[in-house]
Amino acid sequence: MDSVMQHQDPMVPAYSDHSEDDILSSVLYPSDSYTPEHVYWADLPFSQKVKFVTKVDREENGKEWAATKALFSKQKMGPVKWYFKNAIVPGAGLGLEGFVLFSIGNLTTLFGDVWKRCWTSYEVCSEVSIQLVTIMEIVGIIFGQIIVGILGDRLGRRYGLIQDAVVMFLGLLLLIGSWGADLQGWVIMYIVALFIYGVGVGGEYPMTATASMENSATSGKVSNRDDRLHRGRKVTLAFLMQGWGQVLNQAWLLILLVAFDHGGGAAPYTSLMGHGIFRLSFVPIAFGTAWLVYYRWFKMPLASKQLNLVKAKSNVTGYDIESLKLVFGNFGGRLLATAGTWYCNDVFFYGNKLFQSAFLKVLYPQANILTTWEFNLLNCAVSLIGYYLACFMIDNKLYGRKMMMQVGFLADFILFVVPAFHYTYFTGSQGIHAFQAMYYLSSFFNQFGPNSVTFLVAAEVFPTGIRATAHGFGAAVGKLGALTATVLYNYIDTETKFMVVPWFGLAGMLLTFFFLPDTTGLDLKEQERYWQCIRSGRINEYHGVAIHPQHLSLWEKFRGVHKNYNPELDHQKRVIELKSEWVEMIQEHHENEKNDQESFFDVEQFPPDVHAHMKRIYHVNPEAGGKGVPLEEKETGELSLSSSESDEINEKRSAL
């Protein structure tokens, strides 16, 4: 208790009685996370926990379904507009890059048939340059992930988002217009264009993840019910646009192939067809990326707001070097988990393609590009189902991020290790259909598992100030996994590949089990409170749910991080902090009024009854710098609100 009072704001008196606890309980103990008795959901016995979580989810599903019906009855296209705003726009960059990068892999197959002497026998093009096509694409992505992640934390999310879109647009123009005096010269220009485009793609990973997560109040002074219940879904909805990009790309390539071949799609393929499909495949995406540049430049002025709030609270300008240093000492296990699991997943992601090449040789010995692309499209559709199921389950407190990741890795391990030890049988006529089923199941569990979860947790488990850097680092290590697979697969045969790949799934599951915390259901405001204590050297003074054993990894529990968890001590400190935040909000409101600037009250953080209670015990004197001082209660006990404050609160309450 002494440690709590020691750091109390001298202008914020410790004031507590039973009535105050009742008034503040709606803010301090939201019903989606606490029982009416103020017990945190993770502290409940298992049976009660299941009942509580099921009840909250059922109520929330009912509200969302009612809201959807109301939106549809009001405007037939209302749900579509909601989806466009909350999924398509936030994930547009990933959708566009998913289209292009998936196209690169598909086009390589086409190039091998059109220009055999260059892409297959290496008579007129060097083998090294052909291998560099994929390698330099990945290197560009890694470069973008690291550099833009750092710049996104230093200069803001808005800068990173705009920069990504501009660089991707430039890369697309170079891809469409790439040419050379001969095939070797064109390949070199193709490599350069892919590297530049890759830099923009790399930046999309940390920027899309952090911007989607911080789009609503999440980790600064304010938190809300929607974020606690649907934060994972919000980020995953943006991420799954990558899956839609792959589906649309494969469909577009099939249309171009059939169109250029006059409805056939079978070999032989001419040079004109190769160049036509190659260049036209990127044209619609160039228009989409141009729109993305416009939208991010003119329609996202507040993308960096959450980061700026956290920096201001920590008195940081520029890059938060201090937080970066502290992360290695305090969250090193989390870095190992997010980066290590992403590495393992990317080896798997590239290994998935091994199935298709093997079963096509048996089922369709004379398979052409049209057949290959048709199976690609089917696989993309199966993957998309995995993406959407991940959206529905990733915020479920009884399943959530960590369990989904472990199950996905384990399933992929089994689906690869079984054919690895019975390769002859599964690639023969008797077992080929089971082999084909394993291919689609591995795609499904990759999306309904590590691929979706790594993208989310690589940002979520870190504090706001270095979130983009941490996500960029994890994503870059992941791409090293893709680079490992790309280089390694050039030197071993298919059967050996099947013996190598499964163990990355097992390694990913173990890394998740030991080092990844489960942030499902965690209010990220609590993580920021915890981080502020770490940053100010008062780590032992934090007693909140961010260090609850439910939200820590086995490694962190082994280190004793959870030992300071104490709900009673945390309650005392949260009351003090809530009062301080109210004083800051009122001070900012008066300053904005004085300067004729627009000002808003956060009704969810300070509902009318809480706001009224604060007004009874505090007064903000703008002439005294907005400091909070005790205010004697009026004899009537009624609240004195300015008309603008009263109108605004009533208006916002009605809107809610």
Side-chain angles (χ1 to χ4, degrees), residues 13-240:
Y15 177 92
S16 178
D17 57 29
H18 182 69
S19 62
E20 179 177 72
D21 286 345
D22 290 341
I23 292 170
L24 300 184
S25 64
S26 63
V27 176
L28 298 178
Y29 301 104
S31 60
D32 57 273
S33 300
Y34 292 86
T35 68
E37 296 76 28
H38 300 169
V39 178
Y40 188 55
W41 69 269
D43 282 323
L44 295 169
F46 180 74
S47 60
Q48 295 181 32
K49 184 188 300 184
V50 172
K51 291 180 181 178
F52 176 82
V53 171
T54 304
K55 178 176 178 291
V56 170
D57 288 348
R58 186 171 57 248
E59 291 175 352
E60 186 66 15
N61 291 337
K63 290 178 182 178
E64 289 198 322
W65 179 242
T68 302
K69 290 195 295 185
L71 192 61
F72 184 77
S73 62
K74 183 178 180 181
Q75 190 178 22
K76 298 302 181 185
M77 293 297 291
V80 176
K81 290 181 178 179
W82 180 92
Y83 188 82
F84 182 83
K85 178 182 177 181
N86 292 278
I88 295 177
V89 171
L94 287 173
L96 293 167
E97 64 89 0
F99 187 106
V100 174
L101 295 188
F102 196 69
S103 184
I104 300 303
N106 285 325
L107 289 171
T108 300
T109 306
L110 177 65
F111 295 162
D113 273 18
V114 175
W115 297 291
K116 290 184 173 64
R117 298 180 63 213
C118 176
W119 289 83
T120 305
S121 62
Y122 313 118
E123 297 174 41
V124 296
C125 301
S126 70
E127 183 176 1
V128 172
S129 65
I130 299 302
Q131 291 176 354
L132 282 176
V133 170
T134 302
I135 292 174
M136 292 307 295
E137 171 198 329
I138 296 174
V139 170
I141 294 173
I142 292 173
F143 182 81
Q145 287 166 335
I146 294 175
I147 298 301
V148 180
I150 294 172
L151 292 177
D153 283 332
R154 188 183 190 283
L155 302 177
R157 315 304 191 216
R158 182 172 182 269
Y159 167 84
L161 289 166
I162 293 172
Q163 178 269 331
D164 292 340
V166 170
V167 174
M168 285 196 296
F169 183 65
L170 176 61
L172 279 170
L173 294 181
L174 291 174
L175 280 170
I176 294 171
S178 59
W179 200 257
D182 53 21
L183 282 174
Q184 178 65 51
W186 169 61
V187 169
I188 292 172
M189 285 303 302
Y190 184 46
I191 293 170
V192 172
L194 273 179
F195 174 81
I196 294 173
Y197 186 78
V199 173
V201 169
E204 273 300 298
Y205 283 76
M207 289 301 97
T208 298
T210 54
S212 297
M213 192 171 297
E214 297 164 5
N215 184 42
S216 67
T218 55
S219 52
K221 296 189 296 182
V222 185
S223 61
N224 58 43
R225 179 184 177 91
D226 180 70
D227 177 72
R228 289 187 295 270
L229 293 177
H230 305 303
R231 181 175 63 248
R233 182 181 70 181
K234 180 171 57 180
V235 176
T236 310
L237 274 175
F239 181 60
L240 69 76

Side-chain angles (χ1 to χ4, degrees), residues 345-365:
N345 178 63
D346 269 31
V347 174
F348 252 117
F349 187 78
Y350 276 75
N352 176 261
K353 299 176 183 178
L354 300 175
F355 279 98
Q356 181 171 298
S357 60
F359 75 69
L360 281 179
K361 289 179 181 177
V362 177
L363 294 177
Y364 304 96

Side-chain angles (χ1 to χ4, degrees), residues 350-414:
Y350 276 75
N352 176 261
K353 299 176 183 178
L354 300 175
F355 279 98
Q356 181 171 298
S357 60
F359 75 69
L360 281 179
K361 289 179 181 177
V362 177
L363 294 177
Y364 304 96
Q366 305 300 320
N368 55 24
I369 293 176
L370 182 65
T371 304
T372 303
W373 285 359
E374 286 172 343
F375 275 101
N376 279 348
L377 182 60
L378 179 58
N379 187 48
C380 289
V382 171
S383 297
L384 201 56
I385 296 172
Y387 277 115
Y388 275 103
L389 191 55
C391 284
F392 285 113
M393 295 298 294
I394 203 162
D395 286 310
N396 186 290
K397 296 183 181 72
L398 302 177
Y399 192 68
R401 286 91 153 125
K402 187 166 184 173
M403 182 63 70
M404 186 184 296
M405 179 102 93
Q406 291 179 98
V407 171
F409 269 129
L410 179 61
D412 278 341
F413 166 71
I414 294 171

Side-chain angles (χ1 to χ4, degrees), residues 491-507:
Y491 300 99
I492 56 178
D493 60 26
T494 302
E495 186 172 358
T496 306
K497 293 171 188 175
F498 269 97
M499 294 297 296
V500 171
V501 170
W503 310 107
F504 286 94
L506 184 61

